[in-house]
Amino acid sequence: MELMSVKSHFSIKYDGPALTTHQMDVRELAPALIALSDLLEEANKAAFPDSAPVRVNVQGNFKGGSFGVDLIAVQSIQQQIVTMLTGPEATAAANLSGILAGVGLIGGGIGGGLIAVIRWLRGRKPSSIRFDGDKTVFEIRLEERDETLEADLVAGRLYQSRVVRQALAKVVKPLEREGIDSFTSGADGV
């Protein structure tokens, strides 16, 4: 059978005073891009264990302004004679979008995805994690009050994977360098 693939375009951008010349050290960028690929592969395994592997390709169109990279997440699927709305193409496309939203690389997830969950936690460990229908509820018990955050189901599954969290830490590692102070991502460029 002929292999088809589902693709989802998204962009990432590192920004800060150190990048005003629109240049970035390849020793910082390459490990972050490899970690992004690892992140999406592991996120796919954690969220949709039975789906086809995901790979990340760089789109060769560098743009002015900070240092941005256009990427394409690709998931191969076997072509079958079924309708596009109910077949594997629709499922793979939904899974791929779900992974990107679950991580927080594109919008669409409840609560902003794994990146938003980690930001909200600010190094704290959740007291409890509950799966409630199509969402995950994170709770932190504090002396003065409890705090809760709702995220989508995929973000909850991803948070539970140490490998996924470690890969995400490597993606944002360039932020540790003096003068690189933000990381953004989105489906329509950033």
Side-chain angles (χ1 to χ4, degrees):
M1 293 194 148
E2 180 183 337
L3 288 180
M4 294 180 55
S5 56
V6 173
K7 299 177 182 181
S8 185
H9 296 255
F10 66 104
S11 300
I12 62 168
K13 181 172 76 171
Y14 298 93
D15 200 359
L19 303 174
T20 58
T21 62
H22 312 297
Q23 296 179 30
M24 190 169 179
D25 187 337
V26 72
R27 286 180 177 85
E28 291 174 330
L29 182 61
L33 291 177
I34 291 168
L36 180 64
S37 181
D38 293 344
L39 169 64
L40 294 181
E41 286 177 31
E42 291 301 324
N44 183 52
K45 288 178 193 174
F48 305 106
D50 297 328
S51 67
V54 172
R55 73 175 194 274
V56 178
N57 294 336
V58 173
Q59 179 81 32
N61 185 13
F62 291 91
K63 300 175 184 173
S66 306
F67 194 88
V69 180
D70 293 333
L71 301 158
I72 304 170
V74 181
Q75 189 171 38
S76 296
I77 53 175
Q78 287 188 342
Q79 182 178 13
Q80 297 180 13
I81 303 173
V82 292
T83 65
M84 190 66 163
L85 295 176
T86 60
E89 294 90 346
T91 301
N95 288 357
L96 192 54
S97 292
I99 292 164
L100 293 172
V103 170
L105 294 172
I106 64 171
I110 301 168
L114 178 61
I115 292 172
V117 169
I118 291 172
R119 256 192 203 138
W120 177 77
L121 288 170
R122 294 184 309 271
R124 304 173 296 183
K125 189 171 180 120
S127 305
S128 69
I129 301 172
R130 288 188 333 269
F131 294 97
D132 184 14
D134 64 346
K135 64 185 174 188
T136 306
V137 180
F138 293 87
E139 184 176 39
I140 296 177
R141 291 190 180 94
L142 305 169
E143 288 182 22
E144 61 275 3
R145 69 188 186 313
D146 292 347
E147 292 182 18
T148 60
L149 174 74
E150 289 184 0
D152 67 19
L153 191 58
V154 173
R157 288 181 184 160
L158 299 182
Y159 179 81
Q160 292 184 313
S161 169
R162 191 186 77 199
V163 175
V164 168
R165 291 192 318 270
Q166 289 172 336
L168 180 57
K170 291 177 185 174
V171 170
V172 297
K173 187 165 178 54
L175 296 174
E176 295 174 5
R177 179 175 162 230
E178 179 83 24
I180 301 178
D181 53 24
S182 72
F183 170 84
T184 54
S185 62
D188 298 320
V190 289

